[in-house]
Structures are given as structure tokens and as C-alpha cells.
Amino acid sequence: MNPASPAIDTDGVTALLERGRTLATPVLRAAVGRLAPPMDTVAAYHFGWIDAEGHPTTGDSGKAVRPALALLSAEAAGAAPEVGIPGAVAVELVHNFSLLHDDLMDGDEQRRHRDTVWKVHGPAQAILVGDALFALANEILLELGTVDAGRATRRLTQASRKLIDGQAQDISYEHRERVTVEECLEMEGNKTGALLACAVSIGAVLGGADDRTADTLEKYGYHLGLAFQAVDDLLGIWGDPDATGKQTWSDLRQRKKSLPVVAALAAGGEASERLARILAADAKKSESEIADFTEEEFASRAALIEEAGGREWTSQEARRQHTTAIAALDEIEMPQQVRAELVALADFVVVRKR
Amino acid sequence: MNPASPAIDTDGVTALLERGRTLATPVLRAAVGRLAPPMDTVAAYHFGWIDAEGHPTTGDSGKAVRPALALLSAEAAGAAPEVGIPGAVAVELVHNFSLLHDDLMDGDEQRRHRDTVWKVHGPAQAILVGDALFALANEILLELGTVDAGRATRRLTQASRKLIDGQAQDISYEHRERVTVEECLEMEGNKTGALLACAVSIGAVLGGADDRTADTLEKYGYHLGLAFQAVDDLLGIWGDPDATGKQTWSDLRQRKKSLPVVAALAAGGEASERLARILAADAKKSESEIADFTEEEFASRAALIEEAGGREWTSQEARRQHTTAIAALDEIEMPQQVRAELVALADFVVVRKR
């Protein structure tokens, strides 16, 4: 097997993602159903269960990597996958709380091929429903009433704080001319790594795993999250809009200092310097001027990022994080089947197109 | 003693509020100090510890009723007041999370005589720092690592959800022509009663109190919260801006369906009907038209609310809730001194001017 492009077990991964969705979604829907109107409806729209007019849909509700991981997490501790369900639901609730608030803060108008909640239902509902989902996440776990549920909630709370730290960094970086590769990785570790790490430990903690086991599973999850985000950053520039559900050159439109950009700027050389000059000029432009760029203007920036090596570096970084993630699994005992499935999920994360 | 205007032990209440502030504030500041920049600074501004330029201030950081209650709560369960400190801090964090988000959603520009966070630092920081304080509240409690800390966090989470429900109702009522007195009381129970109730149970739970004791303390706190809010609603129309830190006729400017208004509309009679016609016409006006009203135009609306009996009904409601709150204290055993102090705090809540 070539480590650069793992031969993934597509059917196996599809089955794992499907199991996560099948077991977690009914519990997630019941949890969201606890919200008082109109928050229940707004949340159902956000999750893709109804359209803007309130009619049921069979829309795209995301890849569901986190629920799949939470169930595997329980199995890694020798428990039944069902033990991980409240953890899967809580992590999904926190993830979606952050999407609701981030889309509003970032002014993002589209997610999963649909208008974002603040566009359809207004900023106040995006704030409120985000808050409600965050509270609900802790409620779902704590009502289990066990010591392990308290431990799981504590880990979820710490991950949530990192998520918020990451968004704060993301916002502040957008106003800065230069961001280092290290700063970018730290931000992405907070924004994506921490909650994926929690997804991979939460089922095990609910299943009674000790802190060392949970910490090691989090190490796998954290690096998996960094691999996931590196791929997301590639898709944010070179992704197919039909697959990602985002606009073309989505991250360039927002002047995001994502990994390919900061790596290209850090690389030095002629293309890197040319890119730096262009982005410095772009930084002085207004948002509407950037929005009025032609496809060609974005394409030329993307080409410069690639020429400076930002695309290749980010691809390699995804593979490095993938390798580190998988290596962590060797530090603890777990059923062979579970280990193989965690590896397959990691492989999926680095080759996905959406 | 005249039950209509209790003779309160001012010195005793001042000492209780001062003790709450003295014991809780250093822990609160240390907790807020955990936030990553710039959120720590934004939070410090919100709490009134620094001004907009970052210089330390000795500003008004609120009445601190909740910390005082959380410490008394621990004592009600026979524990030392210090046992309630993490509860006091967690409740203050949740309270301030909701202020940050509500001010943004409601477009409120002033709080505690100063510009609100979204006015000074922008909407994104108001959302982010609110989120961070909410997460921090759970973190502070859960890191105690005890079963009772898990129970306390569960109660705090439930109260937080009610707080969010109440804000959702508050927003939806602003767009409705008619709100019943019952709907208004339900909203205020969620928005104010639930968290005050939690403040009064959280110290006891951390001190090992059983659920019946905690529930009864919450009953006192819930009705105290409704009394508190009734007084707030009176101050929102007839309060002295120098004392409250809000604009004159603050709630009328926002067309809030507060208790005096809904009670006046429900009263019937000539003044009530005249008020209904005027408010129905106001509802069709734009926000800027309302903002351009003269002082006299607000004053005439306030006079009609009073003439229709809305002011008197709300004063009586505050006293009714005060009575119900105090009666709940008889359902459980607690040290006589603690009971007397809870009564004194309830007395303070109904006679305060700010």
C-alpha cells in the first residue's frame, strides 16, 4: 500500500458512517424536538430536515464523521457502540452550535448547498438556536447522571472552549497581514482538532475508559482533525462547488489565511513574493470589491498559491497528520476490528472530495 | 411590619451582597483570565473591570444578587459559604453570557451606564465571548470532579435552556400585537426566575443537599426572580435613568410587552382601550420613528399604562411573588440565620431602585 494515497475500504467506511447516522439521528432529532418553538423549526432547517417553508426534506445533513467516531470510541473501550450514542449526539450538537454562530460571524451565506440560518431566519435566531444546541449538548450527557457522564461533559466543555478559541483566532487572523504556518495549525487544531478528538474519546469515557485511554484516543482524533482540516483547506480553494456545496474559491473570497495560503507565503521564492504583494493589495480592498472579482482573478491567485508550493505542502501535511493519528492507536489496547475501522476512517478523511 | 413595603435590614443586605462580591469576584476574574486574547479583554470590559481603552476602572459591575444567593445556598445546606463559590461564579458566567447575546439580539446600546460590548467591540466579539463564558461556567463546575458538581452543572444547564427559551419568547412577543399576562409571566419565569432559582440551589447541591431541598430552594428563587423582574419592569418604564443606567422609558422605546403593559391592556376600561389603540398604531411604525418620539410622547404612554392600572398591578404582583418566595422557605429545615438572610434579600429585591 502506498502511504501517500491509502487504498481505502470505501464500503466499510460507508457502512460506519451510515451506522453513526442511523443510531445517532433519531436521538439527535428527539433532542432538538425539546427546543421551544420557533427554535425547534429553525434547528430542523439547519440540520437539513425541513426546507425554509417547513416541508420535510431528505437533504444533505453533513458527512457525519463525528457520530461514527463516537460509536467506534465506545467499542474501543470494549463497550457496545450504543453506549456512545449520547456522546455522538452531544458532539453533533456542539458542532452545529459552532456552525450556526460561525456562519453568522463570518457572514457565510451558504452551507450544505442551502442558505444559512441567519440568511433565512435572521441573526437573532442563529444566535439563540446556537446557544440552545450548546446547552442541549451538556443536558443530554448530564442527564445520564453517572460519574462518567460528568467526565465526558468536562471533556466536551474543554473541546468547546478550544472551538471558540479557534474561531477567535480565525477572525483575528483575517485582519492580519501575516500569519505563520504554526499559528494557522494552532488555530485549526482548536477549530477542528479539539472536537474531533472529543468525538473519539467521548464514547470510550461513557464506556468507563480511564483517562490515559481517553487521552490517547484524543491524540488520534486531534491529528485526524488536522488532516481533515488540511483537506478542507484544499477543497476551500480547489474543491468542486457541486461536491462541497460552497462557492468556487470560497476561502479566497473570504481572504481566509488557510494552510495553502500561509504555506505559500512562508515558502519564499518568486511566486511566493508575487502572491504576498497581491494579497497585501487585496487586504486594502473592501469586501464588495473582493466580491466583484472575476473568476479569472481568483483563479490567478489560486495558481500562484500552487506555484509557490502551498497546495503540495498542504497535501503532504494532511498525510503527515494522518500518519501521526494512526500511530497513536498503537499506544493502547483495543479490539483489532475497531482499530482497523479507525484506520479506514482516517484514510477516508484524507481522500474525500467533499 | 407592613407586608406591602417590608422594613428591610439595609446594612444586613449590603453586607451579604458585599460578601458575595468579595468571595466570588477574584475567582470570577481568574476564570475570565483563562480566555484567550482578545476575548479576555472584551470580557473584562463587559464586567466593568476595564474601560474601552483597556484602562482599569472601578465601574458598576451589577448588583451581585446571584453570588450572594449562591453562598447563602451553601449555608442553607449546612456547608461553609465558600462551598458555594464555584456555583456563584458559574451562575454569574451564565448570566453574563445571556446579557452579551441578548444585548446584541435586542440592539441595546447601553448597559450599566456604558456602551454594550457589541457597540464597542462588534457583534462577532459579543457572540464569541458570550459563548466562551457559557462554556467556562460548565468548566468551572465540572473540574471539581465530584458527583455533586455533575448534579449542579445539570441544574445550571437546565436553567440556561430556560433562559434561552425566555429570550426566544421575548423576541417573538415583540412582533405580536397581543401578549397575555400569563405568557408574560411564563417568559419572565424563564428569563429571570430560572437562573435566580439555580443560584439559590447550586451552593446547596455543591454542599451535598438532596434534590428535595434543592427543588424547594429553587421554588424560593423562582418566585424571587419573578418579583425581581416585576420590579425591573416597573423600573424599565418609571425608573430613574441615573439609578438604572438605562435610557428614560427604556422598555417603551423597545416596545417591550412587559408586565405593566400587558396588565394594562388586559385590564379593560377606557384607558386600557385607548392604550391598545395607541400601541397598535405604534406597532406599525418603524424603529426609527419610535426612536424619534419626544419625551412627552413616551410620558403620555406611561401615564396611560398607569391610568389603566398596569403600574399598580405589577407592584402588587411583585409583592405576591415575594410572599410566595418566602413561604417556600418554611418547607425545609435550615439555620435560622440563613432563613432570615434569604428573607432580607427578598425584601431588598422588591424595594430596590436600580
Side-chain angles (χ1 to χ4, degrees):
Chain A
M1 182 179 121
N2 176 359
S5 56
I8 69 157
D9 169 12
T10 314
D11 287 351
V13 170
T14 304
L16 282 172
L17 295 174
E18 189 55 34
R19 181 181 74 167
R21 250 188 234 108
T22 306
L23 290 180
T25 304
V27 182
L28 180 63
R29 291 184 84 133
V32 169
R34 292 187 198 182
L35 299 183
M39 294 186 287
D40 53 350
T41 308
V42 175
Y45 172 78
H46 169 75
F47 281 104
W49 303 330
I50 58 173
D51 63 21
E53 284 75 43
H55 305 121
T57 56
T58 50
D60 176 6
S61 48
K63 290 171 284 292
V65 171
R66 291 172 196 79
L69 287 170
L71 304 190
L72 278 174
S73 168
E75 291 184 292
E82 288 77 9
V83 169
I85 293 176
V89 171
V91 167
E92 277 301 274
L93 288 168
V94 168
H95 175 54
N96 284 282
F97 136 71
S98 79
L99 296 182
L100 279 161
H101 284 190
D102 291 1
D103 283 344
L104 174 60
M105 287 184 254
D106 299 341
D108 286 345
E109 302 189 355
Q110 290 270 312
R111 168 163 310 275
R112 297 169 189 157
H113 306 267
R114 313 158 75 222
D115 283 345
T116 46
V117 162
W118 70 267
K119 272 292 275 184
V120 177
H121 295 282
Q125 290 300 325
I127 297 171
L128 264 181
V129 175
D131 292 345
L133 297 184
F134 191 15
L136 205 50
N138 294 314
E139 190 174 307
I140 292 290
L141 287 176
L142 289 168
E143 67 193 12
L144 297 172
T146 62
V147 174
D148 287 333
R151 291 171 61 218
T153 314
R154 187 177 171 193
R155 281 180 188 266
L156 183 64
T157 297
Q158 288 167 333
S160 307
R161 282 244 290 127
K162 286 190 184 154
L163 209 63
I164 297 161
D165 285 352
Q167 172 67 3
Q169 290 166 326
D170 201 3
I171 289 175
S172 78
Y173 293 174
E174 276 175 53
H175 302 289
R176 274 169 49 181
E177 204 171 308
R178 220 57 192 257
V179 174
T180 66
V181 171
E182 290 68 31
E183 286 172 326
C184 187
L185 286 172
E186 191 195 329
M187 182 265 282
E188 299 196 338
N190 282 330
K191 253 193 115 156
T192 310
L195 193 62
L196 252 157
C198 185
V200 186
S201 73
I202 201 163
V205 171
L206 291 174
D210 62 21
D211 283 337
R212 195 184 80 85
T213 302
D215 288 343
T216 306
L217 287 168
E218 291 206 358
K219 192 166 155 191
Y220 157 85
Y222 182 80
H223 292 285
L224 181 66
L226 281 171
F228 186 96
Q229 189 58 50
V231 173
D232 235 42
D233 285 356
L234 291 168
L235 294 175
I237 298 179
W238 296 281
D240 173 2
D242 287 341
T244 62
K246 296 177 180 171
Q247 287 183 283
T248 54
W249 323 112
S250 159
D251 287 356
L252 297 182
R253 288 175 197 280
Q254 290 179 50
R255 292 180 273 196
K256 271 211 192 285
K257 309 272 191 311
S258 67
L259 269 187
V261 177
V262 298
L265 290 172
E270 199 202 310
S272 174
E273 283 162 24
R274 202 137 47 94
L275 179 70
R277 282 193 300 275
I278 289 174
L279 295 186
D282 286 356
K284 297 200 178 73
K285 297 190 172 119
S286 71
E287 277 182 36
S288 65
E289 284 176 284
I290 302 288
D292 286 343
F293 276 7
T294 61
E295 288 290 303
E296 286 67 32
E297 286 176 288
F298 287 121
S300 71
R301 283 158 182 76
L304 265 184
I305 294 167
E306 186 159 358
E307 200 184 326
R311 186 174 190 172
E312 179 55 25
W313 187 89
T314 306
S315 294
Q316 285 175 4
E317 176 66 11
R319 282 180 229 117
R320 279 191 293 272
Q321 296 292 351
H322 171 269
T323 304
T324 312
I326 288 175
L329 296 176
D330 292 333
E331 296 174 27
I332 44 171
E333 292 296 313
M334 70 175 79
Q336 268 316 317
Q337 168 72 10
V338 177
R339 186 186 312 270
E341 289 173 335
L342 287 171
V343 170
L345 263 175
D347 293 347
F348 162 75
V349 157
V350 292
V351 300
R352 73 199 164 88
K353 297 277 177 246
R354 55 176 284 247
Chain B
M1 182 179 121
N2 176 0
S5 56
I8 69 156
D9 169 12
T10 314
D11 288 351
V13 169
T14 304
L16 282 173
L17 295 175
E18 190 54 35
R19 181 181 74 167
R21 248 186 236 109
T22 306
L23 290 180
T25 304
V27 183
L28 180 63
R29 291 184 84 132
V32 168
R34 294 187 196 181
L35 299 183
M39 294 186 287
D40 53 351
T41 308
V42 175
Y45 172 79
H46 169 76
F47 280 105
W49 303 331
I50 58 172
D51 64 21
E53 284 74 43
H55 305 121
T57 56
T58 50
D60 175 6
S61 49
K63 290 171 285 292
V65 171
R66 291 172 196 79
L69 287 170
L71 304 190
L72 278 174
S73 168
E75 292 184 291
E82 288 77 10
V83 170
I85 293 175
V89 171
V91 167
E92 277 301 272
L93 288 168
V94 168
H95 174 54
N96 284 282
F97 135 71
S98 79
L99 295 182
L100 279 162
H101 284 190
D102 291 0
D103 283 344
L104 174 59
M105 287 185 253
D106 299 341
D108 288 344
E109 302 188 354
Q110 290 269 312
R111 168 165 309 276
R112 298 170 190 157
H113 307 268
R114 314 158 75 222
D115 284 344
T116 46
V117 163
W118 70 266
K119 272 292 273 185
V120 178
H121 296 282
Q125 290 300 326
I127 296 171
L128 265 181
V129 175
D131 291 346
L133 297 184
F134 191 15
L136 205 50
N138 295 313
E139 189 174 309
I140 292 289
L141 287 177
L142 289 168
E143 67 194 12
L144 297 171
T146 63
V147 175
D148 288 333
R151 292 171 60 217
T153 314
R154 186 177 171 194
R155 282 180 188 266
L156 182 65
T157 297
Q158 289 166 333
S160 306
R161 281 245 290 126
K162 286 190 184 154
L163 210 63
I164 297 161
D165 286 352
Q167 173 67 3
Q169 290 166 326
D170 201 4
I171 288 174
S172 77
Y173 292 173
E174 276 175 54
H175 302 290
R176 273 170 47 183
E177 204 172 309
R178 220 57 191 258
V179 175
T180 67
V181 170
E182 290 69 31
E183 287 173 326
C184 186
L185 287 172
E186 191 195 329
M187 182 266 282
E188 299 196 339
N190 282 331
K191 253 193 114 155
T192 310
L195 193 62
L196 251 156
C198 185
V200 186
S201 73
I202 201 164
V205 170
L206 292 174
D210 61 21
D211 282 337
R212 194 185 80 85
T213 301
D215 289 343
T216 306
L217 288 169
E218 290 207 358
K219 191 164 155 192
Y220 157 86
Y222 182 81
H223 292 286
L224 181 66
L226 282 171
F228 186 96
Q229 190 57 51
V231 173
D232 235 43
D233 284 356
L234 291 168
L235 295 174
I237 298 179
W238 294 280
D240 173 2
D242 287 341
T244 61
K246 296 177 180 170
Q247 286 182 283
T248 54
W249 323 113
S250 159
D251 287 356
L252 297 182
R253 288 175 197 278
Q254 290 179 51
R255 291 180 274 197
K256 269 213 192 286
K257 308 273 191 311
S258 67
L259 268 188
V261 177
V262 298
L265 291 172
E270 200 202 310
S272 174
E273 283 162 23
R274 201 135 51 92
L275 179 70
R277 282 194 299 276
I278 290 173
L279 296 186
D282 286 356
K284 298 200 178 73
K285 298 191 170 113
S286 71
E287 276 182 36
S288 64
E289 284 176 286
I290 302 287
D292 286 343
F293 274 8
T294 61
E295 288 289 303
E296 288 67 34
E297 286 177 287
F298 287 120
S300 71
R301 282 158 182 76
L304 265 185
I305 294 166
E306 186 159 357
E307 200 185 327
R311 185 175 191 172
E312 178 56 26
W313 186 89
T314 306
S315 294
Q316 285 175 4
E317 176 66 10
R319 281 181 229 116
R320 278 191 294 271
Q321 297 291 351
H322 170 270
T323 304
T324 311
I326 288 175
L329 298 176
D330 292 333
E331 295 173 28
I332 44 172
E333 292 296 312
M334 71 176 78
Q336 265 317 316
Q337 168 73 8
V338 177
R339 183 187 312 271
E341 289 173 335
L342 288 171
V343 170
L345 264 176
D347 293 348
F348 162 75
V349 157
V350 291
V351 300
R352 73 198 164 87
K353 299 275 177 250
R354 55 177 283 247

